[in-house]
Amino acid sequence: MMTQPRELSLTSGTIVQSLNGQWQLAADPDDAGMKQAWFKSQVPATVSCPVPGIIQQALPDCHGVVWYYMTFTPAENPHQQGRYLLRFGAVDNESIVWINGREVGGFNNPETPFTLDITDALKLNASNLVAVRVLNPVGEARAQRPNRNKSDSIECAPGASFNYGGIIGNVELLLVPAVYIEDVFVKADAKTQTLTITTTVRNTLGAATDVALEFDVAPAAQGGTRETVQLDHELAVGSSTLSTQITIANPRLWSLDDPYLYRVTARVSATESTKAVHTLSVRCGFRDFRVVDGFFTLNGKRLFLKSTHTGNHLPGGQVAPPDHEFLRRDMIYAKASGFNMVRFISGVACPEQLDFCDELGLMVYEECNAGWCLQDSPQMKERFDRGVREMVKRDRNHPSVTIWGMLNETPAGAVFDQAVAALTVVREQDDSRLVLLSSGRWDGRQDIGSVCNPGSQSWEHAWGLEAPNALPLPANLTWCDYDSKVAGYAQQAGDCHVYTRVPQAPFATKFVRTVGAETKPMFLSEYGIGSLQNSIHELRHFEQAGLNPALKDFALNRSMTEKFLNDWSRWGFDTVYPFPEDLFLESQRLHSRQRAFTFDCLRSNSKFCGYNLTGMLDHAITGEGLWTFWRRWKQGTFDAVSDGWAPLRWCLFVEPMHVYTDRPFKIEAVLANEDVLKPGDYPVQLRIFGPAGLAWEHSSVLKITSSALAVPVLAQEITISGPPGEYTFAANIERGAAPAGGRLTFHVSDSAALPKLNECVSTWGIDEASVTWLSRHGVTCTPLKLDGINAPEIVLVGNHFKTPPDAAEWMKFARQIARGSTAVFLRPQVLTRGEKKTGWLPLKEQGTCIEYNDWLYHKECVSKRHAVFSGLDGPGVMDWEYYNALISREIFQHQSAPDEVYAAAFATGACGQPNVSGGYVSGTLLSSHRLGHGRILLNTLRILETLDANPAADRLLLNVIQEARRITAAGSGEIAAETEALLKSVYA
């Protein structure tokens, strides 16, 4: 137990004695501590625990009620009749505090500070015991409290905050005079050039006293005094709120490029009897941020909002960093790469982060942790309002804080209704900032606006189809049918979320580029793409930092790594990359290019007023971030983001991204123009370069006549006759402008280069169009005969049947394989039997076939160095731009051990998936399995679905047929009794 604080400082009339350090922690699983008076003395069974920190750093599996203890000797208070205040930066979730066995108060908001007057319970010149009972709730109790999207599992799982708890903020003993300043709030109004200063002063003398209240205003960086005002008051016992105004002539505005700060210092001088002076200073800034005609404006100038969100997630301590530099690094990375705002989603920022954002010129969009995943309960209204109120009170002096957010992804219901009503709670504390109602607007209540501008007391209909008389609509969210809809999008929402299946289909691209065309502007408050989470890299950082291996995030990364390395080795992928970790590095590299494509889509839509990118970092142990959990940029991502945010930027499109020579495809060029180009004419050249040089060009004059954020330049269908290879679509303005971007690579193949086979196959369930295509490429197709004993053959199997085969037909088919034939399953759906996805598969271990929802969190498909992929891109991650719709979402799992795996899928940091736990998913995409004397080729790649449209699918099918010929037995063999018994058990 710590017996003596390590810090003692004097700050503005307040002596600060730090109580941070190693406290003692005791679990109370039966919640017996109150009855047994654990607050009177430290119980024997304790462990050391860091403060600030979380319970689980000392007791990884502990949740529920715990008790913290520490002893200290207070410094002498130099102020006559002075007070001792115990200040907690934050305690998650609920707390009660005792000093020397005497209860002195508590708090039940898990992320904001509270201060207790402990003077009467304190022993001077002696050791004092602090006991703190902390509730870290689970189950329904957790869900009914502000919880920052915490998981209820005691294990760490990707996609949600681990259910941590504890004393997560600094603990300080403050020695103050009997009359002291509790709070100073400065409202800086750029329009009126006034500072409205609201000061809360506490008088603990027991009687009213005269005080002098003095204010100094000066530039924060320069010091000195610019303006001084002094007021005299008679101060009643208790807390009093006093207000005054100071005019600042021609104030210098706080802006992104010039984050100018003022410092306001309040000084209270008490009566002659105490002669005490107490001082408190805060920084502030003049700026005006609001929505005008659907667009964001800062200090009267329109800007495109460039935001990203963070869960402020940190290794080991979750919200207590192993290195405080992480908190600064996140903000530096964001500012340097072109962001003008950071959204703290479902949880407030750390105070030091806000100080830093004030200085950097980086705006903040802040939500309290009651804003997401809070369930209704009798205490919901009180808890929600308290969370909002305490957030605003804590952070309302920061000029960087420009948006208060109320909710995230919340459907219509009691919590949504409370957020609507809680606007009054915000405005009681601060009427100078923009307030946004609900990110994503999953409520469907378009009759309620999304925006409340500074000075307003009502929700304004600024975006989308919001209107006072609009009928409420169903949210119309679809998380499964990615083939016809986008996920997360609530119909007509002006504040919208968009998550598409990846590789992104043409309909989804069109949606992102055109949504809102017939409405008011829209705010795209979530959209993005991630990579695999590099569990190996993260695990090594945990080891390097020397953290406790029992920590849940440490253990999760270790578990994912071990599972991945086992699969990688047993499936024979060691020849693909120098080391297995290179898969994750390649995923991150490709992710940067995919980020650039998302910027092309959204920046080409002139109706978006801003974009909040998912997500800043790999928080919640996922791969969704621009940088890793341990704060390392992913390869190429900085360039993709900084180019993506450029005020003047080319957005280029080629559809599809892999084409045949002499076949038409579409190209398009749009110029994103964030009020950069003045009206006028600008000469433009567009070119396509390939292996033989210039393949196509176009010259035109771009006319800028309006303030649209996206200007169409060209949309045209063309053909390329040049040699196969990688091509670049390039755009250039010859004078008067310097846009970013302007280069897009795509792939061209030559159909004449496809191998010409001389092969005969049988077909079972293959459609006529595919048969015709095969015939053109030297493959003679004959319908499969199930009667009699046939010589070993190759059988291509689809699911195009007028009448699905029954068990008897499957039995005949399986026997033909077992005698020496090779069956190539080109559509996994053919194996579905009732509820079982692999019920017709004639293997001892049928396993299953799952559908993986590839969206923000996705798997990577990896091809091996093998003849099956001859002439195709690889080996390694199957690039979406090259393979595109050939990438499947189905993967086979847990079948009998394959002879060969040609392609497999891997996902770390997996979340948002049904029936997946532990953050890791893997399975085969194309593999060979023995059945008697024959072989089964299991395939999920969408070969037939994309045949003759995707060059990669065409070449792969021909390669697979050649591989099937290679492994087909030379002659037939008798079916062994063991194999016959297996088939009878499968098809009984």
Side-chain angles (χ1 to χ4, degrees):
M1 181 188 299
M2 186 181 71
T3 57
Q4 186 64 36
R6 291 159 312 290
E7 300 176 28
L8 191 65
S9 63
L10 179 64
T11 304
S12 302
T14 301
I15 295 176
V16 181
Q17 190 171 343
S18 173
L19 302 187
N20 291 345
Q22 293 296 314
W23 290 42
Q24 295 299 300
L25 181 70
D28 186 4
D30 301 320
D31 195 11
M34 293 288 283
K35 291 182 180 179
Q36 297 174 9
W38 287 17
F39 46 82
K40 290 185 177 180
S41 60
Q42 180 181 313
V43 297
T46 64
V47 295
S48 182
C49 184
V51 171
I54 60 171
I55 298 162
Q56 291 75 25
Q57 286 174 279
L59 300 172
D61 295 319
C62 180
H63 299 275
V65 177
V66 298
W67 292 74
Y68 282 85
Y69 299 95
M70 67 88 61
T71 59
F72 70 99
T73 300
E76 183 179 350
N77 194 330
H79 302 296
Q80 184 180 354
Q81 303 179 57
R83 309 300 293 180
Y84 290 85
L85 310 179
L86 186 60
R87 186 182 189 274
F88 290 84
V91 179
D92 191 348
N93 190 277
E94 296 183 3
S95 61
I96 306 174
V97 182
W98 290 263
I99 300 293
N100 301 321
R102 179 173 173 176
E103 184 176 336
V104 293
F107 202 54
N108 59 358
N109 194 59
E111 57 180 353
T112 52
F114 62 98
T115 302
L116 306 173
D117 189 330
I118 64 171
T119 308
D120 296 338
L122 208 60
K123 295 185 293 185
L124 302 180
N125 302 315
S127 179
N128 291 260
L129 175 69
V130 182
V132 185
R133 178 187 183 272
V134 176
L135 171 63
N136 172 213
V138 296
E140 187 176 40
R142 175 200 56 79
Q144 291 181 355
R145 289 169 168 80
N147 65 79
R148 201 169 193 151
N149 189 29
K150 290 181 183 176
S151 166
D152 207 29
S153 171
I154 65 169
E155 302 301 326
C156 194
S161 296
F162 174 58
N163 187 21
Y164 60 83
I167 302 177
I168 61 175
N170 293 323
V171 183
E172 298 169 325
L173 183 66
L174 310 180
L175 285 65
V176 299
V179 177
Y180 61 92
I181 300 171
E182 291 184 305
D183 182 62
V184 175
F185 168 44
V186 181
K187 175 185 172 182
D189 190 321
K191 184 176 181 180
T192 63
Q193 302 185 12
T194 59
L195 296 174
T196 301
I197 307 171
T198 304
T199 309
T200 304
V201 183
R202 176 171 287 272
N203 174 13
T204 66
L205 288 171
T209 186
D210 293 329
V211 298
L213 191 59
E214 185 178 1
F215 301 95
D216 293 335
V217 180
Q222 300 169 9
T225 300
R226 178 167 175 171
E227 300 288 345
T228 300
V229 173
Q230 182 168 325
L231 305 171
D232 294 324
H233 289 273
E234 183 181 59
L235 202 67
V237 175
S239 291
S240 299
T241 299
L242 309 172
S243 183
T244 189
Q245 284 191 339
I246 298 178
T247 299
I248 305 296
N250 301 315
R252 188 164 161 182
L253 300 183
W254 185 95
S255 66
L256 301 174
D257 299 323
D258 181 22
Y260 195 81
L261 297 171
Y262 289 88
R263 182 175 298 279
V264 176
T265 301
R267 186 178 299 105
V268 62
S269 303
T271 64
E272 289 296 321
S273 61
T274 64
K275 296 182 180 180
V277 176
H278 189 243
T279 302
L280 185 64
S281 66
V282 298
R283 297 189 306 184
C284 63
F286 289 91
R287 53 101 185 92
D288 181 80
F289 183 76
R290 63 181 63 239
V291 174
V292 178
D293 296 328
F295 292 93
F296 293 100
T297 66
L298 177 62
N299 299 330
K301 182 180 178 181
R302 182 176 74 166
L303 64 78
F304 186 80
L305 195 66
K306 303 169 184 178
S307 180
T308 184
H309 61 246
T310 176
N312 242 17
H313 190 188
L314 298 154
Q318 308 298 307
V319 288
D323 183 351
H324 276 267
E325 181 61 22
F326 280 9
L327 301 175
R328 292 170 57 89
R329 195 177 300 170
D330 285 344
M331 303 303 107
I332 293 172
Y333 285 175
K335 179 72 176 183
S337 58
F339 290 93
N340 56 31
M341 176 172 282
V342 171
R343 176 186 172 198
F344 290 88
I345 186 171
S346 186
V348 299
C350 295
E352 52 264 52
Q353 287 175 307
L354 297 182
D355 288 337
F356 198 35
C357 288
D358 290 343
E359 298 162 3
L360 277 177
L362 185 62
M363 294 187 293
V364 169
Y365 169 2
E366 191 171 36
E367 304 164 22
C368 74
N369 63 9
W372 195 19
C373 303
L374 178 65
Q375 290 186 5
D376 190 20
S377 71
Q379 296 80 33
M380 182 273 292
K381 178 182 184 300
E382 175 189 359
R383 289 168 176 164
F384 186 90
D385 287 0
R386 182 187 302 116
V388 170
R389 181 184 303 111
E390 294 299 322
M391 170 184 70
V392 175
K393 285 176 62 178
R394 194 195 74 164
D395 296 336
R396 58 189 176 177
N397 281 315
H398 291 279
S400 59
V401 178
T402 52
I403 299 177
W404 302 122
M406 304 296 277
L407 292 173
N408 178 64
E409 293 183 341
T410 301
V415 176
F416 172 78
D417 293 342
Q418 185 55 38
V420 173
L423 179 60
T424 59
V425 176
V426 176
R427 289 310 187 215
E428 286 170 358
Q429 305 297 323
D430 172 34
D431 69 350
S432 66
R433 285 175 175 81
L434 179 66
V435 186
L436 298 186
L437 175 55
S438 183
S439 183
R441 289 308 301 267
W442 283 13
D443 51 275
R445 293 290 306 276
Q446 299 306 293
D447 55 318
I448 302 174
S450 292
V451 165
C452 180
N453 269 309
S456 174
Q457 302 289 326
S458 61
W459 295 111
E460 304 162 36
H461 304 87
W463 293 329
L465 292 176
E466 299 169 356
N469 299 319
L471 295 176
L473 296 168
N476 196 28
L477 301 177
T478 304
W479 288 98
C480 299
D481 187 8
Y482 286 80
D483 293 327
S484 62
K485 296 181 175 67
V486 296
Y489 175 70
Q491 185 179 353
Q492 300 185 3
D495 182 333
C496 63
H497 291 181
V498 171
Y499 288 109
T500 63
R501 180 180 291 283
V502 293
Q504 187 165 289
F507 88 87
T509 298
K510 180 180 179 181
F511 177 88
V512 178
R513 295 189 58 199
T514 61
V515 64
E518 305 301 324
T519 76
K520 297 188 286 288
M522 303 179 72
F523 177 33
L524 184 58
S525 58
E526 283 192 29
Y527 173 50
I529 182 63
S531 67
L532 295 188
Q533 199 256 359
N534 190 342
S535 61
I536 296 176
H537 179 83
E538 307 295 23
L539 174 62
R540 300 299 176 244
H541 270 290
F542 276 101
E543 294 169 345
Q544 180 177 295
L547 299 184
N548 179 2
L551 290 170
K552 294 301 182 178
D553 46 3
F554 194 153
L556 176 61
N557 278 281
R558 182 172 59 249
S559 172
M560 290 191 295
T561 295
E562 290 171 351
K563 292 174 183 176
F564 163 70
L565 292 176
N566 178 63
D567 286 342
W568 189 260
S569 177
R570 72 186 177 97
W571 287 337
F573 278 80
D574 288 323
T575 62
V576 174
Y577 293 116
F579 294 99
E581 186 184 355
D582 286 71
L583 167 62
F584 302 128
L585 300 178
E586 180 73 355
S587 175
Q588 293 177 354
R589 185 187 68 81
L590 292 172
H591 149 265
S592 68
R593 199 171 65 204
Q594 294 147 13
R595 288 280 189 190
F597 177 66
T598 64
F599 276 111
D600 287 332
C601 293
L602 70 97
R603 292 295 303 276
S604 64
N605 187 338
S606 64
K607 297 308 287 284
F608 286 137
C609 64
Y611 169 40
N612 178 76
L613 176 148
T614 308
M616 175 187 276
L617 72 146
D618 286 350
H619 43 214
I621 318 296
T622 68
E624 77 171 54
L626 301 173
W627 50 86
T628 69
F629 193 34
W630 283 84
R631 275 56 178 184
R632 298 292 180 92
W633 274 99
K634 297 177 182 177
Q635 182 181 350
T637 309
F638 182 95
D639 289 340
V641 174
S642 57
D643 277 359
W645 287 135
L648 190 66
R649 179 188 189 275
W650 283 109
C651 304
L652 303 182
F653 301 90
V654 174
E655 179 57 44
M657 295 286 285
H658 190 178
V659 301
Y660 275 128
T661 56
D662 298 319
R663 288 197 194 179
F665 61 96
K666 186 177 181 180
I667 63 172
E668 192 168 356
V670 177
L671 187 67
N673 176 29
E674 190 186 330
D675 299 325
V676 174
L677 292 187
K678 298 177 181 179
D681 294 345
Y682 298 86
V684 170
Q685 276 200 326
L686 303 173
R687 291 177 175 172
I688 293 179
F689 260 61
L694 182 64
W696 174 92
E697 67 177 329
H698 173 86
S699 298
S700 64
V701 174
L702 172 64
K703 293 183 178 294
I704 300 294
T705 59
S706 70
S707 60
L709 289 172
V711 183
V713 176
L714 177 79
Q716 186 174 325
E717 196 171 77
I718 68 169
T719 59
I720 293 291
S721 298
E726 186 175 271
Y727 282 71
T728 299
F729 180 25
N732 183 53
I733 295 179
E734 294 188 292
R735 64 175 179 271
R743 303 295 183 272
L744 179 65
T745 59
F746 63 100
H747 306 275
V748 175
S749 290
D750 185 354
S751 60
L754 290 172
K756 191 73 172 179
L757 304 189
N758 182 16
E759 189 64 69
C760 294
V761 303
S762 293
T763 59
W764 199 40
I766 301 296
D767 61 281
E768 285 301 318
S770 298
V771 169
T772 300
W773 185 91
L774 287 163
S775 298
R776 292 203 311 265
H777 292 82
V779 181
T780 301
C781 299
T782 304
L784 177 66
K785 297 177 181 180
L786 291 175
D787 295 323
I789 299 176
N790 302 319
E793 60 184 333
I794 298 170
V795 184
L796 303 183
V797 185
N799 66 338
H800 190 78
F801 295 101
K802 290 183 179 179
T803 303
D806 59 18
E809 292 173 295
W810 274 101
M811 184 68 165
K812 293 176 182 178
F813 168 69
R815 283 173 171 159
Q816 177 64 10
I817 300 171
R819 293 187 185 100
S821 293
T822 297
V824 180
F825 288 94
L826 293 173
R827 281 186 173 166
Q829 295 83 358
V830 70
L831 295 169
T832 299
R833 185 181 189 183
E835 296 297 318
K836 189 169 184 181
K837 298 295 184 181
T838 53
W840 293 119
L841 184 59
L843 292 178
K844 182 177 181 181
E845 296 176 20
Q846 290 182 316
T848 187
C849 184
I850 68 166
E851 181 174 306
Y852 194 90
N853 294 332
D854 291 298
W855 55 300
L856 166 66
Y857 311 110
H858 58 85
K859 65 184 185 304
E860 294 289 12
C861 300
V862 184
S863 65
K864 194 182 284 186
R865 197 182 305 273
H866 194 279
V868 164
F869 288 94
S870 175
L872 295 169
D873 182 64
V877 175
M878 298 176 71
D879 186 347
W880 297 348
E881 293 179 3
Y882 184 89
Y883 289 97
N884 203 272
L886 181 64
I887 302 295
S888 58
R889 54 184 180 270
E890 291 86 9
I891 56 178
F892 283 110
Q893 292 183 319
H894 313 308
Q895 281 73 36
S896 299
D899 293 327
E900 181 77 69
V901 175
Y902 310 102
F906 305 89
T908 46
C911 65
Q913 307 294 332
N915 304 316
V916 170
S917 61
Y920 175 74
V921 177
S922 66
T924 62
L925 304 171
L926 183 58
S927 58
S928 170
H929 303 257
R930 287 182 179 272
L931 179 63
H933 297 282
R935 298 289 190 278
I936 292 172
L937 288 183
L938 288 180
N939 166 71
T940 70
L941 296 169
R942 301 177 73 245
I943 297 174
L944 294 183
E945 294 91 329
T946 59
L947 198 64
D948 203 30
N950 185 332
D954 298 348
R955 180 63 188 257
L956 182 60
L957 178 55
L958 298 176
N959 288 350
V960 166
I961 291 172
Q962 293 180 91
E963 173 68 5
R965 171 55 59 201
R966 185 187 70 81
I967 63 176
T968 300
S972 62
E974 294 297 325
I975 301 176
E978 181 182 0
T979 303
E980 181 69 17
L982 166 65
L983 299 183
K984 287 180 178 179
S985 68
V986 171
Y987 300 120

